[in-house]
Amino acid sequence: MYLCILGLPLMGFLGAAGFGRFLGGRGAGVLTTSLLSITFFLSCLVFYEVGLCGSPCTVNVSPWFLSESWDASWGLLFDPLTGVMCVVVTSVSTLVHLYSTSYMGEDPHLPRFMSYLSLFTFFMLILVTGDNFLQMFVGWEGVGLASYLLINFWYTRVSANKSAIKAMLMNRVGDFGLALGIFAIYVVFQSVNFETVFACAPHLCDEKILFLGFEVHAFTLIGILLFVGATGKSAQLGLHTWLPDAMEGPTPVSALIHAATMVTAGVFLIARCSPLYEYAPDALGLVAFAGGMTAFFAATTGLVQNDLKRVIAYSTCSQLGYMVFACGLSHYDLGVFHLANHAFFKALLFLGAGSVIHAMAGEQDMRKLGGLARALPFTYTMMFLGSLALVGFPFLSGFYSKDALLEVSCAHYTLSGDFTYILGCGAAFCTSYYSFRLVSLTFLGEPKGPKTTYAGLHEAPFAMSLPLILLGVGSLFSGFLGKDFMVGLGTPFWGNTLGGLASHTTSLEAEYISQTLKHLPFVLTVIGGSLGLGLNSPALSSFVYKMKLTPLVRSFYIFLNRRWLFDKVYNDWIGSPSLGFGYNVSFKSIDKGVLEVLGPFGITEGIRNLLTYTREIQSGFIYHYAFVMLLGLTLLLTLLSLEPLIHFWVDPRLWCLFAVGYMGLLPSEDIK
Amino acid sequence: MSLIHSLHVSFVVFLLGLVGIYLNRKNIILVLMSIELMLLGINLNLLSFSVSLDDLIGQVFALFILTVAAAESAIGLAILVIYFRVRGTIDIEFIRLMKG
C-alpha cells in the first residue's frame, strides 16, 4: 500500500506518456485520474494509520549508493507530516486531474498534459515521503522539472517559454542553496538520513563549521541554506518573481503547482527540518522576517493586479508568507495546518477562475469581465466561498489557521513576533480587499466585455464542477475538522515529527492575549472586504477612477501594479549585467580573447608571422647571403671559442638526445 | 720582415676579399675577383707559416690552392658567360630569381 502511493502516479505517467497515442486524450485522462483517485484513497488510509492511529513507519526500498560512511538508500518515511502532505497533494491532484480532462478536453495534446500532471504528483510524493535529504532532493528537482514542462505546456507561446525558463532558473538559485545545506548537514552529521540527523540534532547543536573561511554556527548556517532552498520553491521575497509569471501555464497547472504542491514544498522542508531549526534561533528569526515581508509585499501587490489569475497568484505568495513566518515562530504545526487549508481554498479559487476563463473564451482580464454572477451562479458561489475561506471568515477553513497564526505571532513577545504580527495584519487587510475586489470586478457590477464573449457564456460541465464542489466542501470543513488534532493544545497527533522546544512555543499564551488584539485581524478583514466590494462597485467606480488620476495615488498605483518594481530591478541590476558579463567578458574577452590568443589562434598566428619574417631573410640578393654566411661563421667560431664557458648550458649531446627522443627514436619500455 | 707583418698583410688581403663580396652591389666579376683575393690571402698566410715553421707542407698546400683557384675561376667564368648569354646582364642587382 505504501509503495503503491508512489507507484500508481508513476504508472499513470508512464501509461499516459508511453501509450497516450493509443489511449487518446479521453483514455489518458481516465487512466491517470483513476490511478490518482486510488492513490488518494490509499493516502487517506495512510493518514488514518500513521496520523490518527499514531503508528509511523518506514519502508526500505533499495540501496542507492555506498561510499565510506555515506550510505544513501531509497526509503520511504511515513509520519504524520508526510501523511498530511500526502492527503493534501493527492486530493488536490486528483481533483485537478479530473478537472483537466474537461478543461483541456479540446486540446490535442491532452495525453501529454495528463502524463505531466501525473509526473508532477509522483515527484511531489517522492519529495514528501523520502526518508533522507537526498531522496527529498530528487523530488525537489523533479517538481521543478515537472513545473517547467507544465508551465511550458503550450510551447509555441514565447511568453510561456520565457516564464518556464524563469521558473526553472529562479528555482535553481534556491536549489543551489538547498544542495549546499545538504552538504553542510553531511559535514556535521556524517549522514543524510532524517532519523540520524534529527536524533543527533540536540547533541551537535553547538557545532561550528567553516564556511567561506568563516567559522559559523553550523545549525544557523544549515538553517539559512535550507531556507534559501525554501525561498526559491515557496516564492518567498527575493526569489518570488517566478510565481506570478508561472500563470502562463494552463489554469489547472496553476491550481496544482501554485496551490497544493510545488510551493508548499518549501514550507514542508522547514517543517521537516524543524528539529534543526529549533536549535538555530537566528535562522528562525530570518525565516520569520522573510515570511512576514513576503506576506505583506504580495498582499499589497495583489491589490491592484488586473489579471484574474495573477491576483490569485499573489494571494498564494502572500499565504505562503504566512506559513513561513509561522514556521519561523516555531509553530510548524500551524504552518502545515495553514498549508493544508490553503491547498483546498486556493485550488478552489484557481479552478473557479479557470471555470470563468473557460466560460468567457479565454478572457482573464478583470477589467473586461463583470456581471457574471447571474450568468454563472455556481461558479460565483464557489469563488465567493473560496474568497471567504481565504480571508478567514469565521468558521471557514482559513479562519482556523490564519487567525491562529496571527494570535501566536502576537503572543510571541519577540521582535520577529511583533514584526510578523503587524505585517500579517496589514496583509490580512489587503487579502480581504483584493479577494472581494476580484469577486466584485468579476461577478458583480456591469458586464464590461464584448457582447460576443457574453453570448457564449455557459456553466462549467460536470467534470469541472465536481472538483469545485469537493474543494468547496474541503474549504468549508477542513479547518474545523483539522483544528483539534493538528493545532489543538497538547495534541499527540504530530508525535515527535515537528520539533518545538517548550520555550519557543506560545500556543498557550496565544489564548490569553487581549480581546482587542484578538479581534483586530477580523475587524481589518471586514473593513478590507467592504472596501473591496464598495470601491469597485459601479456606484463608486467613477470616484475611484478620479482618485487614481491624482499624481500621488497614481504613482503609488503604478508602484504596486508593477510589483514593487522587483522585476525591473532584477532585470536592470542582475539580469542584463549578467548577460552583459556573459557576452562581453566571459565570451568575448576570455573565451574568444585571452584564451584564443594564448591558445590555438594565437600560436598559429605567431608561427605564421615568425615564418614570414624568417622567409624575408632569403631575399635573393647574393650579397645578403654572403653576409649571412659571414655572420653564421662568426657565430660558430665564437661559440667554439667560448665552448669551455657555455658547454654547461648547451651540451650538444643533450640536445641531440632530446631531438632523437622527441622523434620517438629512443628505445622505451613497453607500456603494459 | 717578421711573421707578424706578413700575417697582417695576408689577413688584410683576406678581409678585403670578404668585404668585397658583400659590399659589392654592381658586378659579379668583382665577386669572383674578391674570391681570388681571399684565396691569395690564404696562400700568403700558408707561405708565411711555411717559412716561419720551416716546413714544406705549407708550400705544397699553396701549390694545390693555386691549382684549385685556377680551376675555380675557370669554371666560375664559364658559368658567368653562360649566364650572360641567357640573361644579357651580369648586374648583381638583377640576380634574384630565387627567393625564400
Side-chain angles (χ1 to χ4, degrees), chain A residues 15 49 138 193 291 298 616:
Chain A
E49 266 190 19
V138 171
N193 282 332
E616 281 171 7

Side-chain angles (χ1 to χ4, degrees), chain A residues 202-259:
Chain A
H203 306 290
L204 295 172
C205 61
D206 292 327
E207 286 282 301
K208 301 276 186 209
I209 189 172
L210 266 182
F211 182 69
L212 298 177
F214 296 100
E215 197 172 47
V216 288
H217 184 218
F219 278 30
T220 307
L221 176 72
I222 291 171
I224 290 173
L225 287 176
L226 292 182
F227 181 62
V228 171
T231 302
K233 205 55 104 189
S234 282
Q236 296 301 299
L237 199 67
L239 295 177
H240 65 279
T241 54
W242 67 272
L243 184 65
D245 283 11
M247 293 299 116
E248 286 298 332
T251 314
V253 173
S254 312
L256 189 59
I257 297 184
H258 309 119

Side-chain angles (χ1 to χ4, degrees), chain A residues 99 103 243-244 246-249 251 254-255 258 301-316 346 348-372 376 379-380 383-384 387 390 434-444 454 457 561:
Chain A
Y99 184 90
Y103 184 85
L243 184 65
M247 293 299 116
E248 286 298 332
T251 314
S254 312
H258 309 119
T301 310
L303 290 178
V304 293
Q305 298 299 317
N306 289 317
D307 187 304
L308 188 57
K309 283 169 76 181
R310 211 163 270 255
V311 174
I312 309 177
Y314 274 109
S315 131
T316 303
K346 192 49 59 72
L348 175 64
L349 281 174
F350 265 122
L351 296 185
S355 177
V356 170
I357 295 166
H358 192 254
M360 293 294 284
E363 182 57 64
Q364 47 179 297
D365 193 331
M366 289 198 295
R367 292 168 295 190
K368 295 182 190 164
L369 300 171
L372 289 176
L376 305 171
T379 311
Y380 171 56
M383 288 287 275
F384 201 84
S387 297
L390 170 65
Y434 66 66
S435 297
F436 286 101
R437 172 173 176 269
L438 185 149
V439 168
S440 169
L441 284 180
T442 310
F443 293 103
L444 308 176
Y454 279 83
L457 270 181
N561 189 271

Side-chain angles (χ1 to χ4, degrees), chain A residues 69 73 120 139 158 160 168 172 219 236 241 276-277 283 299 334 348 421 430 488 498 537 577 614:
Chain A
S69 65
S73 59
F120 191 93
V158 176
M168 195 77 175
R172 283 295 86 70
F219 278 30
Q236 296 301 299
T241 54
L276 298 181
Y277 274 103
L334 269 174
L348 175 64
Y421 180 71
C430 297
L498 298 181
S537 66
T614 36

